[in-house]
Structures are given as C-alpha cells and as structure tokens.
Amino acid sequence: QKEVEQNSGPLSVPEGAIASLNCTYSDRGSQSFFWYRQYSGKSPELIMSIYSNGDKEDGRFTAQLNKASQYVSLLIRDSQPSDSATYLCAAPLRGGSNYQLIWGAGTKLIIKP
Amino acid sequence: EPEVTQTPSHQVTQMGQEVILRCVPISNHLYFYWYRQILGQKVEFLVSFYNNEISEKSEIFDDQFSVERPDGSNFTLKIRSTKLEDSAMYFCASSLNGARGSGIHDEQFFGPGTRLTVL
C-alpha cells in the first residue's frame, strides 16, 4: 500500500518565523511531489511542485526533496497569519496509468500574531 | 487566471436519489479528475478521465458512479443512488497533461468543490 505520511499537528509558529512542514513517502520510485494548502471548508490550492532532489524556491515558499531519505518538506519564511491552514502533501500512485494522487492527512499550521 | 469551476456549491439530497455534480475544467487542460473528502479525513481519488474515457479509477468508484463529458466544456460526476456515506466534499481537478515519461506528473488544479449532503 503506497503511503504519504504527515504529522497532523497542529504546528504553532510565531508570526515572522519559519514554518517547517514535513512529509515522508513509502514508494521509493516516486518522482513527483506536490504541496497544497487547504483552508477550512475550501478546496486544495497548489503551492509547489517538486521533481528533483534539492530545493525549489517560490517567493516565501521553499520545497525540499530528498529521494534517498524519501522525504519532502515545505518551508514558509516570514510566516503570516494568513498562512494558517492545513498543508497537504501529495504524490502520484505508481503503476498502470497512475494519474491518481495519494494524499497525506495534512499538517495543520497555526501562525500566532 | 484560468480556474476550475464547480456547480452547485452545495447539494442536499435524499438517500437513494441520483445527483449530478458539474465541473468546468480549465479550457486547455486535457486530463480531468474527481476527488472526494469526507469531513475530517484525507482527500481520496475517485477517477481520472482523458480523451473521453476513464483512465483510472479507485475502489471507491463503483457501479453507482459514472463520469461524462457531455460537451466541450463540462465534466460531470453522477451518483445513481446516493447513500448516507456519500456525504462529502467532491472536488474536480484538471491538468494540462497527465503522467509524462519517467514518472513526472503534471500539476493538478482544483475547483472549489461541491458539498454533498445525503439525508
């Protein structure tokens, strides 16, 4: 059974600090990883995709991928109260046409003013 | 910026009734998906659709479910005889491409969702 695991939190971070969110995956062959943000009662909103080992930066967000250790992380710099949400990690299920994304349970992030 | 749209935002139905959830994917996208999320639980894949046929479906997507692209813009999910446990948020998503070579997958963009309540 392919799995994507996340700590459910909540993770509480002071405003202006760096929030670090982690995700591990079981399928060593996975090549694509996605971070989504989900506000309560809303749909997942794509923040970052990452395909290669190393860091990928987009504004205040940095995704990090380490395929050897099978983890992917998301750093949020200069955290704002509006960043308070649940962050979902997703990766495609291998096998067949494998279009489906497998999702972690999400980490609830709370930014304290 | 192009976005996926879904209607209705909230659907209330009686157990055993048929419901149709509608989606308009991003116009130049070729791959379409339905996911659901039961309150407080993980997002779950239901089905993917490409070139007017189902590409992949999960165990959840049984004979009670069907999908259709009735015209050039809409993508629908039909539940023939709703059950109490079908109550969930249903999300439509689309991507420009699907799985490219070497396991690289295109980004999927989600619509706002339809909250289905089965009484």
Side-chain angles (χ1 to χ4, degrees):
Chain A
Q1 180 72 19
K2 307 298 190 292
E3 296 285 346
V4 174
E5 301 287 343
Q6 296 180 258
N7 187 322
S8 62
L11 175 66
S12 184
V13 173
E15 183 176 358
I18 296 175
S20 178
L21 304 158
N22 299 310
C23 169
T24 59
Y25 58 94
S26 62
D27 184 357
R28 184 170 290 277
S30 293
Q31 301 289 330
S32 307
F33 302 90
F34 306 95
W35 281 102
Y36 286 82
R37 176 175 63 198
Q38 187 176 33
Y39 294 112
S40 181
K42 303 296 184 181
S43 63
E45 174 191 6
L46 181 69
I47 297 176
M48 296 276 285
S49 59
I50 186 165
Y51 304 102
S52 303
N53 271 331
D55 295 0
K56 179 182 177 183
E57 188 174 316
D58 184 0
R60 295 188 296 112
F61 298 96
T62 299
Q64 299 175 318
L65 175 58
N66 183 322
K67 291 184 181 179
S69 300
Q70 294 177 239
Y71 82 77
V72 57
S73 62
L74 180 70
L75 303 179
I76 307 174
R77 288 182 300 281
D78 188 24
S79 297
Q80 303 296 310
S82 59
D83 295 326
S84 297
T86 296
Y87 288 80
L88 307 175
C89 176
L93 176 69
R94 287 185 71 202
S97 54
N98 62 315
Y99 297 112
Q100 61 176 289
L101 294 179
I102 302 300
W103 298 78
T107 298
K108 184 173 183 178
L109 176 65
I110 299 171
I111 306 300
K112 290 189 170 181
Chain B
E1 186 173 327
E3 59 184 18
V4 177
T5 60
Q6 290 185 245
T7 54
S9 57
H10 192 187
Q11 174 88 47
V12 181
T13 189
Q14 294 291 326
M15 189 170 56
Q17 295 298 303
E18 174 184 287
V19 294
I20 298 176
L21 310 183
R22 291 180 168 79
C23 167
V24 178
I26 294 173
S27 62
N28 64 332
H29 283 188
L30 301 177
Y31 291 78
F32 315 126
Y33 314 86
W34 284 101
Y35 291 86
R36 80 172 186 189
Q37 188 176 31
I38 295 170
L39 186 63
Q41 298 188 21
K42 290 184 181 183
V43 177
E44 299 174 291
F45 170 81
L46 294 178
V47 66
S48 61
F49 191 86
Y50 168 70
N51 199 25
N52 280 321
E53 61 182 28
I54 290 174
S55 305
E56 191 175 18
K57 59 184 181 180
S58 71
E59 292 177 354
I60 302 169
F61 194 88
D62 61 22
D63 291 344
Q64 293 299 311
F65 291 87
S66 62
V67 289
E68 190 179 25
R69 187 151 166 86
D71 53 44
S73 59
N74 290 283
F75 179 51
T76 62
L77 174 69
K78 182 191 291 186
I79 309 175
R80 288 190 182 83
S81 179
T82 51
K83 308 183 189 71
L84 294 176
E85 54 264 38
D86 292 329
S87 294
M89 283 288 287
Y90 287 81
F91 299 113
C92 175
S94 68
S95 64
L96 180 59
N97 294 298
R100 292 177 255 156
S102 65
I104 301 300
H105 287 71
D106 259 17
E107 298 166 336
Q108 296 181 19
F109 297 89
F110 280 66
T114 293
R115 180 175 298 283
L116 177 64
T117 302
V118 182
L119 302 176

